[in-house]
Amino acid sequence: MIPFSVLDLSLITRGGSAGDAFRNTLDLAQLADDLGFARYWLAEHHAMPGIASAATGILIGQVAAATRRIRVGAGGVMLPNHSPLVIAEQFGTLETLFPDRIDLGLGRAPGADQRTARALRRDPHAPERFASDVVELLHYFEPADPMDTHMVHAIPGTGLRVPVWLLGSSLFSAVLAARLGLPYAFASHFAPGQMAEAISLYRARFEPSDRCPKPHVMLSVNIIAADGEKEGALLATSLQQYFIALRRGRPIAFPPPVTDTTGLWSPAEQAMVDQTLSCTFAGSLQSITPRLRDFIARHEPDELLVALPIHDHALRRHALELTAAMQATLSSGLHVSP
């Protein structure tokens, strides 16, 4: 069965703080490590009241230090916000501290609204240079050429060959990942619209490299697993509220679930949420498992990246335990009775 990994936005919940979010992240990462998940990825977002992982590299270091085996990485770093050399040095440092445990996923979006992007001193033309910036970053991880006295070196970084992934929610990064021979992760947990086309394009155009000899696709999904179907549906209302607020341009701390959503959003907004979050699996272990099996069979990902957008941390931990049980069931080929 394919590996399962965890995507953590280090959620700041309503009534909580960034400190609470970081403590929850470390606790969840240790549980994921104990349960045998393959990776634990954190994502760069800025000026978001519900997300604490803005200083992604720093948080990755803390998670790696608190765990033993699991790979830890960025899902991702938004490269247009940074100099490729600086990212090479940061992840070269992480790889030096935690050998063979660090991943670097790269995205092209700002991870922020336009006003925040300007505050980041983000060059408005930086996304246009994304492809060349990725190539430059990859070069910093190559062994040094003693004959090239003009090359700038990332120290640490040179020769470390940190695994680099491209992330995307459109066709652009799929084509670039294929051309560069890199593994590819699609953000289907919040933007599934072009998922099938992007996967097909990536696999069809893939050019093998020494970094990745064959196409490698990771798909992200939301899993909101609970002991009962109604409880899972209730917990999912937190994510629905969060996305409605985001689309209205008024981001909020991650809210608690509500028993009645009547009047909270319009039918048009409900349709938007249904489409945006169509790769969300909420409910009991018995109901999610066959749906997830069908999703995997249809799209054939090489890995699955699981986000757990649940307000209560104890229930988030429980959802991760249920997800591990689900993976074991899928791996064994057993069917779960509804």
Side-chain angles (χ1 to χ4, degrees):
M1 190 55 195
I2 64 173
F4 279 31
S5 298
V6 177
L7 174 64
D8 184 6
L9 300 184
S10 202
L11 293 174
I12 304 173
T13 57
R14 185 178 298 168
S17 66
D20 296 327
F22 294 147
R23 284 185 285 274
N24 290 342
T25 283
L26 294 177
D27 180 64
L28 196 69
Q30 290 169 337
L31 179 60
D33 197 18
D34 292 341
L35 291 172
F37 284 83
R39 308 175 197 275
Y40 199 93
W41 279 11
L42 298 134
E44 177 185 347
H45 292 273
H46 298 280
M48 299 287 284
I51 298 176
S53 53
T56 316
I58 295 174
L59 194 53
I60 287 170
Q62 293 296 309
V63 170
T67 52
R68 299 172 290 103
R69 174 205 56 82
I70 196 167
R71 296 192 66 88
V72 186
V77 162
M78 302 298 108
L79 189 56
N81 294 340
H82 310 278
S83 153
L85 176 60
V86 168
I87 296 303
E89 291 171 338
Q90 288 180 3
F91 279 78
T93 298
L94 289 167
E95 175 67 18
T96 301
L97 290 169
F98 309 102
D100 299 319
R101 290 187 57 209
I102 300 299
D103 296 326
L104 172 55
L106 300 173
R108 189 167 63 111
D113 59 36
Q114 290 305 310
R115 184 170 57 181
T116 304
R118 288 193 295 272
L120 287 164
R121 305 296 189 266
R122 185 171 181 262
D123 180 346
H125 301 292
E128 301 167 17
R129 298 194 303 270
F130 181 71
S132 60
D133 282 352
V134 171
V135 171
E136 179 184 343
L137 177 54
L138 291 172
H139 193 66
Y140 288 130
F141 289 134
E142 295 295 330
D145 181 355
M147 302 302 293
D148 186 353
T149 58
H150 300 288
M151 177 62 191
V152 175
H153 299 293
I155 302 174
T158 299
L160 292 182
R161 299 298 297 272
V162 175
V164 174
W165 296 64
L166 290 194
L167 317 181
S169 58
S170 67
L171 306 184
F172 178 91
S173 290
V175 173
L176 181 60
R179 178 165 65 84
L180 297 178
L182 296 175
Y184 178 56
F186 191 89
S188 35
H189 67 296
F190 75 90
Q194 293 185 294
M195 174 178 61
E197 187 178 0
I199 295 169
S200 177
L201 199 59
Y202 168 73
R203 287 172 173 156
R205 297 192 182 185
F206 186 81
E207 300 177 20
S209 71
D210 57 353
R211 283 183 168 271
C212 189
K214 61 182 181 178
H216 192 96
V217 173
M218 178 188 284
L219 297 180
S220 56
V221 297
N222 298 302
I223 292 186
I224 305 174
D227 289 332
E229 196 67 15
K230 290 184 178 179
E231 183 184 1
L234 173 64
L235 296 179
T237 63
S238 293
L239 184 61
Q240 293 168 345
Q241 293 176 78
Y242 184 78
F243 261 90
I244 292 291
L246 197 61
R247 291 302 173 93
R248 289 173 177 174
R250 298 191 294 271
I252 57 175
F254 199 75
V258 290
T259 55
D260 185 4
T261 62
T262 304
L264 294 183
W265 49 76
S266 69
E269 288 174 323
Q270 181 66 61
M272 178 276 296
V273 165
D274 291 344
Q275 191 281 326
T276 299
L277 302 179
S278 61
C279 291
T280 297
F281 300 85
S284 66
L285 189 66
Q286 289 75 16
S287 71
I288 293 176
T289 303
R291 287 186 282 139
L292 194 61
R293 180 186 291 113
D294 290 345
F295 177 86
I296 293 169
R298 187 180 317 119
H299 300 293
E300 299 183 319
D302 299 290
E303 295 191 41
L304 210 62
L305 186 62
V306 174
L308 302 155
I310 296 170
H311 179 269
D312 182 90
H313 182 64
L315 296 178
R316 196 181 308 148
R317 282 179 56 93
H318 186 49
L320 187 64
E321 292 169 338
L322 291 173
T323 301
M326 194 183 318
Q327 184 189 22
T329 299
L330 291 168
S331 300
S332 68
L334 297 175
H335 290 275
V336 179
S337 300

